[in-house]
Amino acid sequence: MSLRQNPPTSVEVPETPRAAAQPARFGGKVRALRRRESLSQVQLAERLAISPSYLNLIENNRRPLPANLLIKLAQLFNVDVNAFASDEDARLVADLTEAFADPFFDGDDLTSIDVREMATASPSAARAVLSLYRAYQGARAATDDLTTRLSDGEDSGSPNMRLPSEEVTDLIQRCWNHFPEIEEAAESVVQRGKLASDDLYTGLVRYLEKQHGVLVQVARWGSERGVLRRYDPDRKVLTLSELLPTRSRTFQLAQQLAVISLGDVMNRITNDARLTSDESRSLARVALANYFAGAVLMPYTQFLEAAKQERYDIDVLGRRFRVGFEQVCHRLTTLRRPGNEGVPFHMIRIDVAGNISKRFSGSGIRFARFSGACARWNIFSAFLTPGMIRIQTSRMPDGVAFFCLSRTIQKDSGGYHAQHPVQAIGLGCQLDYARELVYSDGIDIANPEMCIPVGVTCRLCERTDCEQRALPSLKVPLRVDENVRGVSLYAPGLHRPPR
């Protein structure tokens, strides 16, 4: 499929408070809800006390949806008002655009407007198309895996078409990585347990024993080799490895406390139809337990006040709250309490092979879901300078600029023979927020020449002057001139030398 741009556009991203305002299109949502309840336009119009013609204009996005009708619709269909938020529409459009960028669709002639209209007019159908594409991807990967296994003489299994980790990531993104019930539970534990930040480990050990009858013990590495934490619910004994440093032991204590005491809360959150397997729901509960642990170690109000006071200096925050670099970065992405919010950050974690193991976009930046990320992101260069923070101001093809920092991290558990895998953490926000961060000091962020042009993925980026381009762009016709060599095979020379 050749995804023509008519007119040229780039991948849409979720709106953030300082992003350019876009008109909300709720017509497709209204129509989908009406059809779900098998109502005609006349019937719904009667319930809303409006004319059928006016409802028809709303459903076709020719009239805005007033706030009073929005509330009526939410009450009538028993849905949260947030279900009408446009950020999910933007992600849906972006995911569809990336899916249709697959070379499998080459030869079709779909425009970006067609994709946008499909997502807004029938979001359920659009999500079904994405599910079908994911199934196709899974089948293709399974075929490749089967071919490899047969050629090696191995047996093959039946892999799931969609990874549980992807479903959990989507759940976290839909909730903007903020879970009020978990926050309240963490604050309650800190208050009831009178937990002090300077001796949190001892306080949690005492709290577990007093409130839940759980005994905490530290085991020698040889007796529990390969296990960092193990809980025996019958004996009520929690065993931690001696190889865990104190800050990691504290985190593991808080995580196990969540598993023991927050089962009902976590089950309510994970009772989501889009978590399609037991594996996805179990993985989601682990993610929520981690969230709780971070909230206990870094209580919301104190942490946000410290972050603002120290201008989001990650090292200072890590030492003050006795946590690691990644834990601080992750906690910064959760500060979305209405009326008391922090800078909206995005976060990504990758390994040296470029595999993304964690991602969340609170800044509005778009992450690739079905293909490789742009090689010009500074997170990849972090591996060249281990332990050092790399700074980058960048601009996406849609013109939105970001301020990003990245640094490598290394697992601090394991003995002499442990492999100590190295990963990189990327944290960033829209450029408008950069001055609130200590890392912007001495950087001329107002200078447009400082912004590095980056994209989501090669197939969706129209920049042809990139020496790191690995694939041709769908937005620019591929023209190969055997007599001309540009900065890359897919970036031909655009200008002829003067005669």
Side-chain angles (χ1 to χ4, degrees):
M1 182 200 72
S2 178
L3 191 61
R4 295 185 293 107
Q5 301 298 303
N6 189 18
T9 63
S10 58
V11 176
E12 298 182 30
V13 296
E15 291 184 11
T16 56
R18 299 189 190 180
Q22 297 292 333
R25 293 186 171 189
F26 297 145
K29 290 180 180 291
V30 175
R31 185 187 305 109
L33 288 171
R34 175 175 62 79
R35 289 176 175 173
R36 188 190 71 183
E37 300 297 326
S38 301
L39 295 175
S40 67
Q41 284 188 339
V42 173
Q43 291 171 322
L44 179 57
E46 288 178 354
R47 297 190 183 189
L48 297 175
I50 60 176
S51 67
S53 60
Y54 184 40
L55 177 59
N56 182 65
L57 292 173
I58 291 175
E59 289 192 358
N60 287 282
N61 292 313
R62 295 173 61 186
R63 291 290 186 275
L65 180 63
N68 63 323
L69 290 183
L70 174 62
I71 296 173
K72 281 186 179 181
L73 283 165
Q75 294 173 341
L76 178 63
F77 294 116
N78 194 26
V79 296
D80 193 323
V81 173
N82 292 329
F84 291 87
S86 58
D87 60 277
E88 190 167 350
D89 283 342
R91 288 197 300 272
L92 184 58
V93 171
D95 290 346
L96 279 174
T97 303
E98 186 178 348
F100 285 131
D102 192 300
F104 176 80
F105 296 102
D106 284 350
D108 295 320
D109 193 21
L110 220 64
T111 68
S112 59
I113 292 178
D114 294 329
V115 175
R116 186 180 298 108
E117 288 182 348
M118 177 185 184
T120 56
S122 185
S124 297
R127 280 190 285 269
V129 169
L130 279 178
S131 297
L132 187 62
Y133 177 71
R134 291 189 184 102
Y136 157 73
Q137 274 198 316
R140 184 170 60 182
T143 300
D144 292 342
D145 181 62
L146 176 61
T147 301
T148 302
R149 287 173 179 268
L150 289 176
S151 64
D152 293 339
E154 298 182 12
D155 194 8
S156 63
S158 178
N160 190 5
M161 291 303 182
R162 193 177 183 207
L163 294 175
S165 57
E166 293 179 0
E167 296 185 346
V168 174
T169 296
D170 287 347
L171 172 67
I172 293 173
Q173 184 68 58
R174 288 195 301 274
C175 296
W176 284 102
N177 202 18
H178 181 71
F179 299 91
E181 288 185 277
I182 304 293
E183 294 284 357
E184 293 173 5
E187 291 174 347
S188 176
V189 166
V190 172
Q191 292 173 1
R192 286 191 288 120
K194 298 179 180 179
L195 303 180
S197 60
D198 58 345
D199 195 16
L200 191 56
Y201 175 79
T202 302
L204 281 170
V205 170
R206 184 173 57 249
Y207 185 89
L208 277 165
E209 183 176 8
K210 182 178 180 180
Q211 298 294 330
H212 301 282
V214 174
L215 176 66
V216 178
Q217 63 182 21
V218 178
R220 295 287 182 91
W221 177 242
S223 62
E224 288 282 350
R225 186 171 297 276
V227 178
L228 299 179
R229 171 176 58 89
R230 186 192 299 279
Y231 177 64
D232 186 338
D234 295 326
R235 298 171 53 225
K236 288 193 173 182
V237 174
L238 175 59
T239 304
L240 302 176
S241 170
E242 65 176 347
L243 293 183
L244 287 172
T246 301
R247 66 183 184 186
S248 296
R249 293 184 194 179
T250 305
F251 188 89
Q252 293 296 330
L253 285 176
Q255 185 190 46
Q256 189 63 54
L257 176 58
V259 175
I260 294 172
S261 62
L262 297 183
D264 291 341
V265 173
M266 293 193 295
N267 287 338
R268 282 199 300 271
I269 296 174
T270 58
N271 187 22
D272 189 302
R274 284 173 281 194
L275 296 178
T276 61
S277 66
D278 291 339
E279 293 80 5
S280 295
R281 287 182 284 274
S282 296
L283 188 60
R285 284 191 287 270
V286 171
L288 293 174
N290 288 338
Y291 185 103
F292 173 85
V296 169
L297 272 62
M298 295 165 277
Y300 193 100
T301 301
Q302 298 94 307
F303 184 77
L304 178 58
E305 290 176 353
K308 291 181 177 179
Q309 181 183 3
E310 302 301 336
R311 298 180 60 210
Y312 296 89
D313 190 316
I314 298 173
D315 289 323
V316 172
L317 294 173
R319 284 166 174 76
R320 182 171 304 178
F321 291 90
R322 294 170 173 80
V323 293
F325 186 88
E326 180 180 359
Q327 291 172 331
V328 173
C329 291
H330 187 274
R331 186 57 170 150
L332 289 174
T333 68
T334 69
L335 304 179
R336 309 306 305 151
R337 179 176 290 173
N340 193 23
E341 302 175 338
V343 169
F345 285 105
H346 65 256
M347 177 182 170
I348 186 172
R349 184 180 67 193
I350 67 170
D351 61 17
V352 293
N355 298 307
I356 299 175
S357 55
K358 180 183 291 186
R359 68 174 186 270
F360 166 73
S361 177
S363 68
I365 201 168
R366 168 69 183 157
F367 293 128
R369 293 173 61 91
F370 306 115
S371 52
C374 177
R376 304 192 74 175
W377 285 12
N378 67 325
I379 190 171
F380 293 103
S381 61
F383 291 105
L384 301 176
T385 53
M388 292 179 56
I389 290 180
R390 303 291 294 259
I391 305 297
Q392 181 186 63
T393 57
S394 57
R395 190 175 302 278
M396 300 294 285
D398 59 1
V400 180
F402 294 90
F403 184 83
C404 304
L405 60 96
S406 62
R407 204 202 81 174
T408 58
I409 59 171
Q410 193 168 3
K411 297 295 184 181
D412 53 4
S413 61
Y416 175 76
H417 294 289
Q419 295 184 359
H420 301 291
V422 177
Q423 297 173 309
I425 299 292
L427 187 76
C429 60
Q430 287 198 16
L431 195 60
D432 291 344
Y433 293 93
R435 287 303 179 200
E436 299 181 34
L437 278 59
V438 66
Y439 304 100
S440 66
D441 291 349
I443 297 178
D444 186 9
I445 62 175
N447 183 358
E449 295 184 359
M450 294 290 294
C451 285
I452 304 298
V454 300
V456 178
T457 180
C458 280
R459 291 284 283 174
L460 297 175
C461 182
E462 69 269 19
R463 297 186 177 108
T464 58
D465 58 346
C466 177
E467 63 274 11
Q468 292 179 287
R469 175 172 287 284
L471 295 169
S473 171
L474 281 176
K475 300 183 178 182
V476 179
L478 178 61
R479 297 186 180 92
V480 178
D481 187 341
E482 298 177 3
N483 298 312
V484 178
R485 181 63 163 87
V487 294
S488 79
L489 177 62
Y490 303 113
L494 301 179
H495 303 288
R496 294 181 180 275
R499 294 182 180 179

